[in-house]
Structures are given as C-alpha cells and as structure tokens.
Amino acid sequence: MSRGWRLVIAATVVLVAAAIAVPFLTSGETYEVVFAAGTDDAADQGAVFASLPHRRAGDVVWLELEPGDALLVRNEDDVVHQVAGVAARPGESVLHVFRERGVFSDECSLDLTVFVEVGRRD
Amino acid sequence: MRPRQVLSRGPLVAALVVAALTVAGCSSTPELQGVVRADPLEVGDVTLPDVTAEGRRGGGLVEDGRLVMRAAADDRLLLVYFGFLNCPDVCPTTLADLRSALARLDAAQRERVDLAFVTVDPDRDGPEELAAYLPHFAPRHHALRAEGVELDAALDAFLASASVEVADDGSVDVAHSALLYAVDADGRVVVEWPFGTSADALADDLTVLLARGAAA
C-alpha cells in the first residue's frame, strides 16, 4: 500500500472519529435508567434511579437535567418500559438528548409519574 | 538530479472528498429535539377507521374508510396523537402547541402536514364530538375511532398505552401516554415528541423533517 493511501486511510479514521465524537463532546451528562430483567414482574424493586439527580415525592419523581444532558433508557426486561416519554422495547436502548429547557413528563411504566425538568439546577 | 518525491493525485483527491463529505455530513444534519430511535417504530401496516366529518378530512392516505399510518407522499408528514376529548390538560395543551407550531410554518409547509387524532375513549368520543373539537386545533385532520383489540393493536405499534375505567358512580378515569409522533411515507416513526415539547421545538423539527422529505 502506498504512503499516500495510508495517509488517506488515517485521515478518514480521524475525520470519522471526530464526526462521531463531537456531538458527544459538546453535550452534557448522560444518565442511564436500566430496567433489569424481571423488573415488570417484581415492580416493587423499581428501576435504577440511584445514579440520576432526582427528587421523589410519593409517586412523583423529578429528574433534574441541564440542556444537553441525555437520558439513556436501557430495557433488559421483556416488556416495554418508558421514562418521561422515552420508551424502549425489550432489549432496546434509547438515548435522548434534552436540548431545550422545559418540563417533560409522562407516566412511567412502573406507575410513577416522572418529570424531567431541564435547566433548573443551580 | 535528485528525483522529488511526490504523492500521486489520486489519494489527495480522495482525502479531500472524504474531508468534504465528513464536514458536509456534520453541518447539514440538524439535530431534532424529539426522540429519535436508532431502530424506528414501523407502523405502516396499522389502519384505523376514519370518521372525519365531511369537508374536514386532511391529506392522509385513506383506503376503504380507514387511515393508513403512513404519510401520503415523501414530502409529507403524518402526525399521530392518542388522546380523548374530555382530557382537561395534556391533550389540549399538546394540540394547542401543535397549532402554534403549524402557525410558525409557511402555508406550503403547513399543507404537507396531516394530523391523525386517535381517540382512546371511543365510547364518549363519537364522530360528532370529534368534528366539533378537532377543527379548533387543525382545520383539516383525520379523526380516528376504534375499539377493543383494534385500538390496542394501534397503541402497541406506537408503544403507547391507554386505559378507561368507569367507577361505580359513573365517573370516568382515562389514562394515556402523551406523545406526539411523526410518521414518514414508509410508515416509520421518525420522531417522538414527549409531552412538554415546546411549540418552537415542534416547529423547528417539522421544518427539518419536511426539508428532508422534500429532498428524498
């Protein structure tokens, strides 16, 4: 392989990597919600919210994000689960970046009402 | 004379093409603000009875009195919403935001967007009630009304949910998921907007999607 083509390949790798990386570098934190296998059957165990900035009052959960933060819903269960309108099929992971300030909500699949509040943190 | 080492032009041209395409790819793909999944929902096989009042029907695909869950052409969008007319907050808020978003588009763009409203409370939301309600939000639309397994199948296709419970005192409690969906001509859900998405964000996303469709 000529030196020229090696340069082309190297440049391609760098440019493609940059194209993939830039959106992630310029966004904020990514928070992951995992619905483990069996979550629906053992709903009392609930989803994993421990790693998210959140408040809970009764059956209402507030996730507090900043514009550019992302919510990754990973569903390892055998039924559809959703958090604040981000639904994932069994075996599916869905990443959503909240780009605008506001409050986004829907009933969670575990009978919780989840509000994602974007842009409130001090 | 010592020969000068030069690169052939082929690799150089290829490198420039790769760079140009990469830069173009980065700059010409505006980010949508709704939820975009890597593996889009496929809803093109879903059809529901269209009970739209005479003269109000939008430009969606209607076959044998049933709306097909696909945009009618590449440069059009079908927006789908599951709701009910007695909803006190979520449904009218979402539809009002959609109305504001559509008002931000120009007339030619607006004409390429069709709204399908699927009632999740078909016992109370008859054709007459739907005809009185929907024009306030979209002058031309598709009012869809189905029951039982047919409605359930449509909800499942969109990963949506709804339930209607009638208490002993006759009061009715309706729960439903609150997303607005955009469907392309291939029957793919290209974006899902959670409740709370602003009219500005909706308008921005619709503008992007319509431009993509027109370019397809």
Side-chain angles (χ1 to χ4, degrees), chain B residues 82-114:
Chain B
F82 294 89
F84 68 109
L85 303 191
N86 286 285
C87 181
D89 41 32
V90 173
C91 297
T93 300
T94 301
L95 292 175
D97 284 341
L98 174 59
R99 176 178 169 161
S100 295
L102 291 172
R104 287 162 166 78
L105 305 182
D106 64 39
Q109 291 172 317
R110 207 160 36 242
E111 195 277 329
R112 290 155 51 203
V113 180
D114 297 304

Side-chain angles (χ1 to χ4, degrees), chain A:
Chain A
M1 184 184 293
S2 74
R3 181 182 172 204
W5 283 108
R6 283 199 296 271
L7 282 171
V8 168
I9 292 170
T12 303
V13 169
V14 170
L15 287 167
V16 170
I20 293 170
V22 163
F24 291 100
L25 292 174
T26 56
S27 65
E29 302 286 334
T30 295
Y31 298 100
E32 186 175 20
V33 178
V34 180
F35 290 94
T39 296
D40 191 56
D41 290 335
D44 290 343
Q45 296 174 12
V48 177
F49 284 118
S51 62
L52 287 103
H54 75 284
R55 290 173 285 137
R56 179 169 178 169
D59 286 340
V60 178
V61 175
W62 292 82
L63 305 181
E64 298 170 353
L65 308 183
E66 286 294 297
D69 285 353
L71 186 63
L72 175 63
V73 178
R74 189 152 60 90
N75 186 2
E76 299 171 349
D77 206 359
D78 56 3
V79 299
V80 173
H81 283 289
Q82 70 140 331
V83 179
V86 182
R89 292 166 282 193
E92 185 179 28
S93 293
V94 180
L95 177 74
H96 177 55
V97 180
F98 289 88
R99 301 183 193 286
E100 66 166 343
R101 292 175 183 273
V103 178
F104 305 84
S105 67
D106 210 332
E107 190 172 276
C108 171
S109 44
L110 297 175
D111 293 331
L112 299 170
T113 297
V114 179
F115 291 90
V116 172
E117 189 170 14
V118 181
R120 182 178 183 275
R121 262 187 286 163
D122 296 326

Side-chain angles (χ1 to χ4, degrees), chain B:
Chain B
M1 179 188 282
R2 185 179 176 187
R4 190 171 48 150
Q5 187 178 19
V6 294
L7 291 174
S8 69
R9 287 185 179 177
L12 185 60
V13 170
L16 290 172
V17 168
V18 167
L21 287 174
T22 305
V23 171
C26 290
S27 61
S28 66
T29 309
E31 301 283 357
L32 294 169
Q33 302 201 49
V35 178
V36 178
R37 64 182 72 235
D39 181 16
L41 305 178
E42 304 272 357
V43 298
D45 290 337
V46 176
T47 68
L48 288 172
D50 189 332
V51 297
T52 311
E54 189 74 27
R56 290 291 191 186
R57 182 171 282 175
L61 276 176
V62 179
E63 297 175 356
D64 298 326
R66 301 172 68 88
L67 182 76
V68 180
M69 292 294 184
R70 292 196 300 265
D74 284 341
D75 65 348
R76 300 184 70 90
L77 284 172
L78 177 67
L79 306 186
V80 180
Y81 187 74
F82 294 89
F84 68 109
L85 303 191
N86 286 285
C87 181
D89 41 32
V90 173
C91 297
T93 300
T94 301
L95 292 175
D97 284 341
L98 174 59
R99 176 178 169 161
S100 295
L102 291 172
R104 287 162 166 78
L105 305 182
D106 64 39
Q109 291 172 317
R110 207 160 36 242
E111 195 277 329
R112 290 155 51 203
V113 180
D114 297 304
L115 169 65
F117 180 92
V118 186
T119 176
V120 298
D121 187 11
D123 286 346
R124 292 190 294 174
D125 297 348
E128 291 181 6
E129 289 80 13
L130 289 161
Y133 180 91
L134 290 175
H136 293 291
F137 301 104
R140 289 164 58 81
H141 54 262
H142 294 270
L144 307 181
R145 184 169 176 263
E147 299 181 55
V149 293
E150 192 170 42
L151 175 58
D152 290 342
L155 289 164
D156 287 347
F158 285 87
L159 308 184
S161 61
S163 65
V164 180
E165 294 181 9
V166 182
D168 292 340
D169 65 0
S171 61
V172 181
D173 182 25
V174 181
H176 65 103
S177 47
L179 286 87
L180 178 67
Y181 308 87
V183 184
D184 70 8
D186 294 322
R188 290 176 306 199
V189 177
V190 288
V191 64
E192 305 161 36
W193 292 290
F195 177 65
T197 303
S198 71
D200 284 339
L202 283 173
D204 289 347
D205 281 2
L206 288 171
T207 301
V208 170
L209 292 170
L210 289 169
R212 283 185 194 169

